[in-house]
């Protein structure tokens, strides 16, 4: 930064353009760990960079590339910034043009609010089916052979059963799925079969999006299929799911989006579906796969013969509306940047996840907007939230043998903007509260408490841990949820049916007995919304993980408690409340976080392990026992799903992180692709550190895929040697900390690789 007494500006000149690297917010600190530190003012070098751009280089405009930078997270007010707030002080009046992914309205809105950004939105990465590979594909083949042999050749079936068992144990799928292995394969093989089908049909990314380029060839075809796979809008006619439309035209008997994958297929076998695959056709999952292949064939061939009227409507819409919109994205993205640089108006457009039915977000290249916060949660979000809440209660009752009464839920502002308030709707539904909307405007004006006779189960005492952006953007939802909490707490209902009221009554009396004023005691006993200190963002856990400043899980729990121990509500705007936050977490029976789209996953971002992993670490540390953890999959709005967090982690490792198809996609992108591999290992490690839900075989899967595979290792070494070092060091750290408990020969192999890296 300093040379010969002068501050140096890192970058390159290209004629009238200067390309530089945004400076770090502090010296000798991990840049990623301090992005959201509200107490850390930028150093002199940071200011010098922007002042040089403004005053010396004389920039007419600035283009920030990447999601997201650190300028919009500098200290200062969350909204309505003044000259004393650091983003305004740094940027001054310089126009800020900001390419930003279309499915992240929350952080884009943050850049608008705090860095005067003009957003130029861009596509998500191309999407594709995960498909099965390696031993997963071998297991699928063996299962097909077994079912055939069990009917025709019992002795061959016995041999195949042994081969399946051997491979299941070699791949650790017996432990991953907690299979109850017995001599009767019918007691466990359907569960394995369903899992293999689920993995195969999972949606993953195929490479990265290149700004200004629409996907072409196979990437285009697969992405188009992902955009019409689920229903859009009303789900009828041209907005129907293409798979469901094909099932209707072919007079199939099952919903291809909602069925038991492993159940035998007993419906018709149309010639069209017989033709698209030579693989065995045995189960519902096989039928789903054939529909996918037929749909892809129809997308690729502009002259494909009609299958029927239902699919004709969807295909016509795809060719006339969806495909042109997707193809227009690349040119529109470049056009949006050029228009902004020329000082011309950039057209606005909606934001959201295209693969979740939001095709109105295409074409990209627009200055996206979000939504009217007064309409949240929307009626659509309420329907999804209520359905998801019911599934959660059913799953917990099945797993634990008792009703769920105490839940911790992480709520993010970005997800709320994408979904219209799924998470808050779900939390209200769990408490037995329903929003009331104004006629005509559809604005939420009140709430209604549902009677216990209608619920037919206990109300759930829900504690929210909200993100900093949610706090800034959705004060109305904080007030709504707080009002609902206080109303439910005042109900005269049996303690076992209203644990919230029982807990508030008990804690109010205890706090009053300890000397608090009665009103203050009641206020604190009713706190159910917690978040970071006003002006701060994040959960703090990332800093400890990245800087290796922790000894055990309890220290990570402590960080989570310290960062999130501020109460919010109608009467509180960040009141210090660490002790009350700890009391709430100590009583949790379960923690939950929802994911609203499959354009990313929980090993794509540090926020998932910080928020849900951090909450789980704190709850289990405080309770001294295990707490249930769930993942809500809201990627298909009409069919939410609830899995355990451990199940979801296993699905992501198998379907995406260790998948050669995904790795090959990353290899198209050189340095950044290698970085994505390293980031996946980091997030897996961090989830294990916080949740203790990662097994040895999952470390082994990534070690095999990234380091032991010579082609992939050489790719990383060539394009991003620092990423190779980071992967090896993180896996060694996992072993040293006892997370990867029994690495066996991997210990020596990875340590030798590190030595080789250091010598180069």
């Amino acid at each position: 930064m300093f040379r010969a007494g002068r501050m140096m500006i890192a970058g390159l000149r290209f004629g009238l353009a200067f390309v530089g690297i945004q400076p770090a917010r502090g010296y000798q600190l991990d840049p990623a760990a301090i992005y959201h530190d509200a107490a850390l003012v930028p150093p002199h070098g940071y200011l010098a960079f922007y002042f040089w751009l403004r005053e010396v280089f004389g920039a007419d405009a600035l283009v920030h590339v990447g999601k997201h930078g650190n300028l919009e997270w500098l200290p200062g007010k969350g909204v309505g910034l003044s000259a004393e707030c650091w983003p305004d002080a740094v940027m001054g009046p310089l126009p800020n043009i900001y390419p930003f992914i279309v499915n992240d309205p929350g952080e884009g809105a943050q850049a608008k609010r705090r860095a005067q950004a003009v957003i130029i939105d861009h596509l998500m990465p191309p999407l594709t089916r995960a498909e099965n590979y390696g031993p997963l594909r071998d297991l699928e083949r063996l299962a097909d052979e077994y079912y055939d042999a069990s009917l025709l050749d019992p002795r061959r079936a016995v041999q195949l059963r042994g081969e399946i068992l051997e491979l299941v144990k070699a791949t650790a799928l017996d432990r991953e799925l907690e299979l109850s292995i017995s001599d009767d394969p019918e007691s466990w093989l359907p569960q394995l079969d369903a899992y293999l089908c689920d993995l195969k049909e999972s949606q993953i990314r195929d490479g990265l999006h290149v700004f200004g380029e629409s996907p072409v060839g196979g990437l285009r075809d697969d992405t188009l299929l992902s955009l019409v796979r689920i229903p859009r809008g009303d789900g009828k006619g041209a907005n129907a799911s293409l798979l469901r439309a094909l099932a209707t035209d072919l007079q199939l008997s099952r919903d291809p989006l909602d069925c038991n994958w492993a159940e035998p297929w007993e419906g018709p076998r149309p010639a069209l579906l017989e033709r698209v695959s030579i693989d065995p056709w045995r189960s519902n999952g096989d039928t789903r796969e054939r529909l996918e292949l037929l749909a892809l064939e129809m997308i690729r061939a502009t002259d494909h013969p009609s299958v029927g009227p239902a699919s004709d409507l969807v295909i016509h819409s795809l060719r006339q509306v969806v495909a042109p919109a997707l193809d227009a994205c690349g040119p529109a993205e470049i056009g949006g940047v050029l228009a902004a640089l020329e000082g011309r108006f950039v057209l606005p457009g909606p934001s959201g996840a295209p693969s979740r039915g939001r095709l109105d977000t295409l074409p990209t290249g627009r200055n996206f907007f979000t939504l009217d916060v007064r309409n949240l949660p929307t009626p659509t979000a309420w329907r999804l939230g209520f359905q998801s809440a019911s599934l959660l209660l059913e799953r917990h009752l099945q797993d634990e043998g008792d009703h769920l009464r105490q839940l911790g839920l992480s709520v993010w502002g970005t997800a709320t903007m994408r979904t219209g308030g799924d998470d808050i709707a779900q939390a209200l539904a769990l408490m037995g509260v329903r929003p009331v909307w104004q006629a005509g405007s559809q604005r939420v004006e009140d709430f209604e408490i549902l009677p216990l006779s209608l619920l037919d189960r206990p109300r759930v005492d829900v504690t929210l841990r909200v993100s900093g952006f949610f706090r800034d953007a959705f004060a109305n939802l904080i007030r709504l949820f707080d009002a609902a909490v206080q109303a439910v707490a005042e109900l005269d209902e049996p303690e076992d049916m209203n644990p919230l009221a029982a807990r508030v009554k008990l804690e109010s009396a205890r706090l009053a007995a300890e000397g608090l004023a009665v009103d203050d005691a009641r206020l604190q006993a009713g706190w159910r919304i917690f978040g970071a200190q006003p002006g701060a963002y994040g959960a703090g856990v990332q800093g400890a993980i990245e800087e290796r400043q922790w000894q055990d899980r309890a220290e990570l729990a402590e960080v989570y408690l310290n960062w999130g121990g501020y109460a919010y509500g109608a009467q509180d705007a960040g009141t210090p409340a660490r002790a009350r936050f700890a009391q709430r977490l100590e009583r949790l029976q379960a923690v939950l976080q929802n994911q609203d789209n499959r354009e990313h996953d929980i090993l794509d971002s540090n926020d998932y392990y910080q928020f849900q992993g951090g909450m789980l670490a704190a709850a289990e540390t405080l309770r001294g026992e295990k707490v249930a953890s769930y993942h809500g999959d809201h990627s298909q709005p009409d069919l939410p799903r609830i899995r355990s967090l451990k199940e979801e982690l296993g699905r992501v490792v198998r379907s995406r992180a260790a998948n050669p198809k995904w790795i090959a996609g990353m290899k198209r992108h050189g340095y950044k692709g290698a970085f994505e591999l390293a980031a996946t290992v980091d997030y897996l490690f961090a989830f294990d550190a916080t949740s203790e839900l990662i097994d040895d075989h999952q470390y082994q899967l990534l070690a095999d895929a990234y380091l032991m595979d010579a082609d992939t290792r050489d790719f990383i070494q060539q394009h991003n040697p620092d990423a190779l070092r980071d992967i090896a060091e993180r896996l060694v750290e996992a072993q040293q900390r006892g997370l990867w408990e029994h690495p066996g020969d991997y210990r020596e192999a990875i340590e030798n690789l590190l030595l080789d890296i250091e010598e180069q």
Side-chain angles (χ1 to χ4, degrees):
M1 183 63 70
F2 290 92
R3 184 180 300 167
R6 302 173 65 189
M7 286 187 176
M8 308 304 295
I9 304 297
L12 298 171
R13 291 178 186 259
F14 297 93
L16 297 177
F18 172 80
V19 179
I21 300 173
Q22 186 175 54
R25 287 187 57 180
Y27 297 126
Q28 297 179 338
L29 296 171
D30 178 12
I34 58 175
Y35 260 25
H36 300 147
D37 191 338
L40 183 66
V41 300
H44 294 87
Y46 192 103
L47 303 178
F49 179 86
Y50 281 97
F51 291 167
W52 179 85
L53 287 175
R54 289 165 50 186
E55 306 298 336
V56 180
F57 181 72
D60 298 306
L62 184 65
V63 180
H64 273 106
V65 179
K67 192 212 82 166
H68 54 73
N70 55 38
L71 175 70
E72 59 267 32
W73 303 94
L74 294 179
K77 292 190 291 182
V79 292
L81 273 63
S82 68
E84 284 73 37
C85 295
W86 284 97
D88 267 13
V90 168
M91 277 288 292
L94 191 63
N96 184 14
I97 302 160
Y98 214 143
F100 220 90
I101 191 167
V102 70
N103 66 15
D104 194 354
E107 291 182 342
Q110 181 80 351
K112 285 172 173 277
R113 288 167 175 242
R114 306 197 79 243
Q116 63 204 36
V118 175
I119 297 294
I120 311 296
D121 60 22
H122 66 75
L123 273 176
M124 73 289 175
L127 301 170
T128 188
R129 290 170 64 234
E131 302 181 273
N132 279 336
Y133 57 90
L136 301 179
R137 187 168 54 237
D138 295 338
L139 275 171
E140 187 179 17
R141 175 184 55 79
L142 288 171
D144 288 334
E145 289 186 26
Y146 170 81
Y147 281 112
D148 286 342
S150 63
L151 299 174
L152 304 173
D153 187 352
R155 286 188 296 181
R156 171 66 174 155
V158 171
Q159 179 184 347
L160 288 167
R161 182 187 66 189
E163 292 180 30
I164 291 172
L165 272 174
E166 183 179 345
L167 190 51
V168 163
K169 292 177 180 178
T171 56
L173 281 167
D174 56 334
R175 299 196 300 275
E176 188 171 314
L177 301 180
E178 298 180 348
L179 294 177
S180 298
I181 301 294
S182 68
D183 291 335
D184 179 16
E186 293 302 319
S187 67
W188 52 268
L189 189 53
Q191 182 183 350
L192 173 65
D193 200 19
Y195 185 61
L196 294 175
C197 289
D198 190 22
L199 290 178
K200 181 165 57 176
E201 300 305 330
S202 296
Q203 180 176 277
I204 63 172
R205 301 180 314 286
D206 190 350
L208 303 171
H209 174 61
V210 178
F211 188 83
E213 294 182 10
S214 297
V216 296
L219 298 177
R220 176 183 184 270
D221 298 335
D222 286 354
T223 300
L224 284 172
L225 178 54
S226 76
L227 297 180
V228 296
R229 178 179 284 114
I230 68 171
R232 287 120 8 242
D234 60 5
K236 300 176 182 178
N239 291 326
S241 156
L242 179 54
L243 301 188
R244 283 177 173 163
L246 287 171
T248 298
D249 288 335
L250 296 171
Q251 299 182 342
L252 304 183
S253 56
R254 300 286 177 86
D255 180 352
L257 299 181
D258 185 21
C259 61
N260 184 326
W261 304 124
E263 282 186 357
W265 175 251
E266 298 174 349
R269 297 173 184 250
L272 269 176
L273 295 184
E274 290 271 16
R275 177 181 56 79
V276 296
S277 174
I278 62 173
D279 291 338
W281 187 349
R282 176 178 50 79
S283 65
N284 291 337
D286 296 330
T287 306
R288 161 69 182 265
E289 181 178 17
R290 281 170 159 76
L291 287 170
E292 292 266 357
L293 293 174
L294 177 59
L296 195 59
E297 183 180 277
M298 296 172 71
I299 291 171
R300 288 172 176 164
T302 56
D303 58 348
H304 193 282
S306 170
V307 175
S311 56
D312 281 351
L313 284 173
V314 182
I315 287 293
H316 179 76
S317 173
L318 183 143
R319 291 174 180 161
Q320 298 299 315
V321 179
V322 181
L326 181 66
D327 294 340
C329 287
E333 290 168 9
I334 294 296
V337 170
L338 294 178
L341 288 172
E342 291 171 358
R344 293 188 286 114
F345 180 65
V346 178
L347 289 174
S351 55
S355 68
R356 198 179 187 256
R358 291 299 307 274
L359 299 191
D360 57 330
T361 61
L362 306 180
T364 50
R366 295 180 286 184
N367 186 1
F368 69 47
F369 53 82
T370 56
L371 40 68
D372 186 342
V373 300
R374 295 169 294 183
N375 293 357
L376 305 186
T378 65
T380 301
W382 164 252
R383 287 191 291 272
L384 188 155
F386 186 88
Q387 187 178 358
S388 183
S390 300
L391 292 172
L392 173 68
L393 294 169
E394 180 182 349
R395 174 67 190 262
H396 186 81
L397 184 59
Q398 291 174 347
D399 289 353
E400 306 298 329
D402 192 12
H403 289 291
L404 177 62
R405 290 181 170 83
Q406 304 280 346
L407 174 74
L409 174 64
S410 296
V411 181
W412 292 349
T414 293
T416 300
M417 285 186 169
R418 275 196 301 259
T419 66
D422 287 359
D423 295 335
I424 289 295
Q426 182 189 45
L428 292 172
L430 288 167
M431 287 199 303
V433 175
R434 177 169 56 197
V436 175
W437 295 271
Q438 289 179 350
S441 71
Q442 291 297 296
R443 290 176 180 168
V444 176
E445 63 177 358
D446 204 349
F447 59 85
E448 171 190 3
I449 298 178
L450 303 175
L452 286 174
S453 58
L454 181 62
L455 294 179
D456 194 29
R457 48 87 177 171
R459 303 185 191 277
V460 181
D461 185 353
V462 182
T463 296
L464 303 184
R465 200 313 189 172
V466 300
S467 69
F469 177 69
F470 184 94
R471 170 203 63 213
D472 294 346
F474 297 107
N476 62 314
L477 291 182
I478 288 177
R479 291 192 297 270
L480 174 71
F481 186 79
D482 183 55
V485 166
Q486 308 315 321
V488 170
E490 294 300 320
L491 295 175
D492 184 13
E493 295 176 336
E495 289 187 6
D496 65 325
M497 299 300 287
N498 190 340
L500 170 60
R503 176 53 44 183
V504 168
K505 181 179 180 180
L506 180 66
E507 290 191 5
S508 294
R510 180 177 58 79
L511 291 172
E514 292 175 357
L516 270 183
V518 173
D519 289 346
D520 289 340
R522 172 61 182 81
L523 176 68
Q524 293 189 24
W527 282 338
R528 290 299 184 277
I529 307 170
F530 298 89
Q533 182 179 5
Y537 303 88
V541 178
Q542 179 189 1
I545 294 283
E546 292 294 332
E547 296 177 33
R548 295 176 169 84
Q549 293 183 349
W550 63 286
Q551 294 300 318
D552 53 32
R553 192 182 184 210
E555 292 189 4
L556 297 177
E558 187 76 8
V559 171
Y560 179 84
L561 282 168
N562 290 338
W563 272 70
Y566 297 84
Y568 291 87
Q571 300 182 55
D572 295 278
T575 303
R578 186 192 180 285
R580 303 293 169 260
F581 188 38
Q583 289 171 352
R584 296 278 68 75
L585 297 179
E586 186 177 5
R587 298 196 59 79
L588 296 184
Q589 295 171 293
V591 302
L592 167 69
Q593 184 151 2
N594 299 309
Q595 183 183 340
D596 61 274
N597 69 84
R598 285 292 170 181
E599 294 168 14
H600 68 281
D601 59 51
I602 60 175
L603 294 183
D604 271 331
S605 166
N606 56 55
D607 286 327
Y608 283 103
Y609 78 71
Q610 288 200 89
F611 278 80
Q612 188 172 13
M615 181 182 287
L616 186 60
E620 292 186 345
T621 298
L622 291 165
R623 284 180 67 94
E625 60 187 57
K626 290 297 181 182
V627 171
S629 53
Y630 299 105
H631 175 270
D633 181 353
H634 293 179
S635 59
Q636 188 175 334
D638 63 331
L639 284 174
R641 291 177 170 84
I642 298 293
R643 301 182 182 93
S644 73
L645 178 58
K646 185 176 181 63
E647 289 169 352
E648 181 62 18
L649 287 165
R651 288 180 77 255
V652 171
V653 170
R654 297 274 188 185
S655 65
R656 193 267 293 176
N659 191 337
K661 189 174 184 179
W662 178 76
I663 295 170
M666 290 300 107
K667 288 180 179 179
R668 297 197 304 269
H669 299 280
Y671 175 91
K672 179 61 174 174
F675 168 84
E676 293 292 329
L677 300 179
T680 297
V681 175
D682 281 345
Y683 302 149
L684 182 88
F685 167 86
F687 247 121
D688 199 11
T690 54
S691 71
E692 297 183 338
L693 293 177
I694 302 299
D695 293 329
D696 280 6
H697 73 272
Q698 290 162 329
Y699 284 110
Q700 179 179 330
L701 282 170
L702 295 196
D704 284 338
Y706 300 171
L707 299 184
M708 303 306 148
D709 180 86
D711 288 341
T712 302
R713 183 179 65 246
D714 291 345
F715 158 76
I716 304 172
Q717 176 65 53
Q718 177 184 350
H719 293 280
N720 191 339
D722 287 340
L724 187 65
R725 178 186 295 105
D726 289 346
I727 292 171
E729 287 180 346
R730 191 63 82 187
L731 292 176
V732 168
E733 183 182 0
Q735 297 168 19
Q736 293 172 340
R737 291 185 180 275
L739 300 176
W740 187 353
E741 295 180 284
H742 305 291
D745 293 340
Y746 287 89
R747 180 187 299 275
E748 183 178 357
I750 296 174
E751 288 177 349
N752 288 339
L753 175 60
L754 265 179
L755 290 175
D756 291 341
I757 292 172
E758 295 299 332
E759 291 175 0
Q760 292 176 2

